[in-house]
Amino acid sequence: MVSRVIPVEPFDLVIFGGTGDLARRKILPGLFRRYLSGQMTPESRIIGAARSEMDAEGFRQMVADAIQEFGGAEKSEKKAIAEFLARLDYVAIDAKGEGGWAQLAGLMRDGVVRAFYFSVAPSLFGDLAERLHLHRIANSESRIVVEKPFGRDLESAKALNAVLATHFDETQIYRIDHYLGKETVQNLMAVRFGNVLFEPLWNNHYVDHIQITVAETVGVGGRGAYYDKSGAMRDMVQNHLMQLLCLIAMEPPSKFEADEVRNEKLKVIRALQNVDHHHIVRGQYDADGSSPSYRDDAENPRSFTESFIAMRCHINNWRWAGVPFYLRTGKKMKARSSEIAVVFKDLGHSIFEGDEARHRNILAIRLQPNEGIDLQVTIKEPGPGGMRLIDVPLDMTFSEALGDDAEDVTDAYERLIMDVIRGNQTLFMRGDEVEAAWAWTDPLINDWERRNDVPKLYDQGSAGPDDALMLMHRDGRRWRDIKG
């Protein structure tokens, strides 16, 4: 049931930060799985580049360990791992100096796709871009992949875009958001634009409201120092939730091509109204027995940074006028869950006498942990005794629908890296899109900082502060339950 694998062109992929946590957990194991599937050709090569002083053999051993821990090696033979490792090399490199660059240049081949993954701090993007051109390692056909955070406000995002634009054209820059590589996120576009059933209903005549939730059970942990300068708004809303909002709300593009899709997403961001502070709830998780509070994890007893945020947004256009979009994300919540729920309006009139309950159709797109889509419909409850109505889901869970093949559904990072090699930017953010998102986000952050707004405390393992529940209750609505 899983679609056939089409190999990509041979490539040289340089991973700056190749010994880092992201490379070990996601990038390198993902590339191994693409090699196992036959999508990564034997002629392709991967070069790790980092400050760590190690040789190629040491890097290969590190990657072998990462594959065993994160890469599903139980499905392969030792021979396959050995073949993959033989395509790896390593260069100890100084991002701000000259060390290692001549060696890296010597490893580059002509006639293959050259791609460079910047799995490093954004402060190094400019140095890497400059040296790639100075040493003639990158050319007009090369591609670079940059990780978030892409700036921490509009000013820094513009500065980063300007630095990259000095050395690379926009068509060469791939700003990665792994949420856009998830199978269900792409299925959202298929459901919307590939079925006559939904698109006619996808507007303010039939949709009551939309909820987007990204809940995590983990705290900030070892990321406390970084996270305290970021918060849920910068870390999640400005990128992940914003992208999900765009895919839900955008107009149908004329073609499924990168700039056509991104043009429509940009229109959504620019149509977002400013959010009144009464429609924003910020929170921090409190201490819970032996579990430290957010302020303890952040090592900042006076921190006003939010680990939770909920808000009500509106899009100023014909399709969505009057339809609220409720966004919610937080740490240390009751379950790990990412979901988009399109809640349709009540029936204008019910013909079933004695049934006063509210019955609504809800289309729920589950991004994690159990990827799938379900549509809540109203049916007659089985059995005698009259016409009693109940709501049941028409459920399409990938793990059940695909059976054993579900294990082979491509991970988000795998898909996105292969898109880079193909030169397909559809699932990557464009520079003006990033800047527009910050232009909407900055005034909200500036407003609560100016008011010295203090986040509300909430219990670990809960659904967030009580004020977030009231945000919906005031509108006569309720948040969907957070389920793992």
Side-chain angles (χ1 to χ4, degrees), residues 274-280 312 444 447:
N274 194 24
V275 182
D276 186 272
H277 70 86
H278 295 297
H279 298 148
I280 299 175
R312 188 181 83 184
L444 308 183
D447 179 60

Side-chain angles (χ1 to χ4, degrees), residues 325-356:
F325 288 71
Y326 297 94
L327 311 183
R328 172 177 60 164
T329 183
K331 302 281 189 184
K332 288 281 189 177
M333 300 186 74
K334 64 188 298 186
R336 175 176 173 261
S337 175
S338 296
E339 181 192 75
I340 304 166
V342 181
V343 182
F344 293 93
K345 290 184 176 181
D346 294 336
L347 286 172
H349 170 70
S350 176
I351 65 172
F352 303 108
E353 186 177 350
D355 185 74
E356 287 80 21

Side-chain angles (χ1 to χ4, degrees), residues 28 158 166 170 202 212 239 321 369 380 437 454:
L28 290 160
K158 283 183 173 180
T166 303
E170 181 62 37
W202 216 265
I212 302 176
N239 40 74
K380 176 189 176 296
V454 179

Side-chain angles (χ1 to χ4, degrees), residues 13 15-33 50 59 62-63 66-67 70-71 116-122 125 145-149 174-179 223 240 411-414 416-417:
L13 172 62
I15 304 172
F16 292 104
T19 60
D21 187 64
L22 179 62
R24 288 184 60 255
R25 286 178 174 271
K26 291 291 185 181
I27 301 172
L28 290 160
L31 287 165
F32 170 65
R33 287 190 290 268
F59 180 65
M62 186 208 79
V63 175
I67 289 171
F70 305 111
F116 306 92
Y117 200 124
F118 290 8
S119 182
V120 296
F125 289 177
V145 185
V146 293
E147 276 280 350
K148 81 174 186 80
Y174 292 71
R175 299 170 186 83
I176 193 167
D177 184 336
H178 72 275
Y179 264 63
R223 299 173 65 226
H240 295 329
D411 177 78
Y413 274 97
E414 297 173 46
L416 293 173
I417 293 172

Side-chain angles (χ1 to χ4, degrees), residues 37-279:
S37 73
Q39 192 168 21
M40 174 182 162
T41 61
E43 298 81 16
S44 299
R45 292 191 313 169
I46 301 163
I47 301 164
R51 292 177 299 177
S52 305
E53 290 292 339
M54 68 169 68
D55 58 14
E57 194 53 43
F59 180 65
R60 293 185 186 110
Q61 184 58 55
M62 186 208 79
V63 175
D65 293 342
I67 289 171
Q68 292 291 341
E69 187 174 356
F70 305 111
E74 69 278 359
K75 295 175 62 178
S76 67
E77 300 176 352
K78 291 182 179 179
K79 180 182 176 183
I81 298 177
E83 289 174 349
F84 176 74
L85 296 178
R87 283 146 185 83
L88 271 57
D89 214 323
Y90 182 80
V91 176
I93 207 153
D94 181 1
K96 292 182 173 289
E98 296 304 309
W101 289 98
Q103 182 185 354
L104 181 59
L107 292 174
M108 295 289 100
R109 298 175 296 169
D110 294 327
V112 300
V113 174
R114 292 187 185 184
F116 306 92
Y117 200 124
F118 290 8
S119 182
V120 296
S123 59
L124 296 176
F125 289 177
D127 297 299
L128 294 177
E130 181 180 4
R131 281 161 179 76
L132 284 173
H133 278 274
L134 183 65
H135 293 273
R136 298 183 179 178
I137 298 171
N139 54 41
S140 60
E141 302 299 319
S142 298
R143 295 143 201 182
I144 61 169
V145 185
V146 293
E147 276 280 350
K148 81 174 186 80
F150 201 82
R152 70 180 312 275
D153 52 25
L154 178 58
E155 183 180 359
S156 58
K158 283 183 173 180
L160 275 176
N161 279 336
V163 166
L164 294 179
T166 303
H167 304 286
F168 293 94
D169 186 77
E170 181 62 37
T171 59
Q172 298 177 274
I173 303 171
Y174 292 71
R175 299 170 186 83
I176 193 167
D177 184 336
H178 72 275
Y179 264 63
L180 296 186
K182 289 182 177 292
E183 192 73 25
T184 30
V185 173
Q186 293 174 76
N187 255 318
L188 169 59
M189 289 187 278
V191 166
R192 276 200 64 187
F193 305 131
N195 295 279
V196 71
L197 177 65
F198 290 113
E199 185 56 27
L201 308 179
W202 216 265
N203 55 60
N204 57 4
H205 296 296
Y206 299 100
V207 175
D208 179 79
H209 71 278
I210 292 173
Q211 299 182 29
I212 302 176
T213 296
V214 178
E216 301 176 275
T217 55
V218 298
V220 298
R223 299 173 65 226
Y226 156 76
Y227 193 92
D228 203 44
K229 295 176 180 149
S230 173
M233 186 67 157
R234 289 186 173 99
D235 189 57
M236 293 295 293
V237 175
Q238 186 273 337
N239 40 74
H240 295 329
L241 272 71
M242 180 72 71
Q243 290 298 307
L244 298 179
L245 172 66
C246 287
L247 293 178
I248 278 284
M250 73 185 200
E251 294 298 316
S254 60
K255 293 178 287 188
F256 190 63
E257 292 181 357
D259 276 337
E260 296 293 334
V261 171
R262 297 191 293 182
N263 286 344
E264 297 303 333
K265 286 162 59 185
L266 180 61
K267 291 177 186 177
V268 172
I269 300 172
R270 288 178 172 169
L272 275 170
Q273 295 181 12
N274 194 24
V275 182
D276 186 272
H277 70 86
H278 295 297
H279 298 148

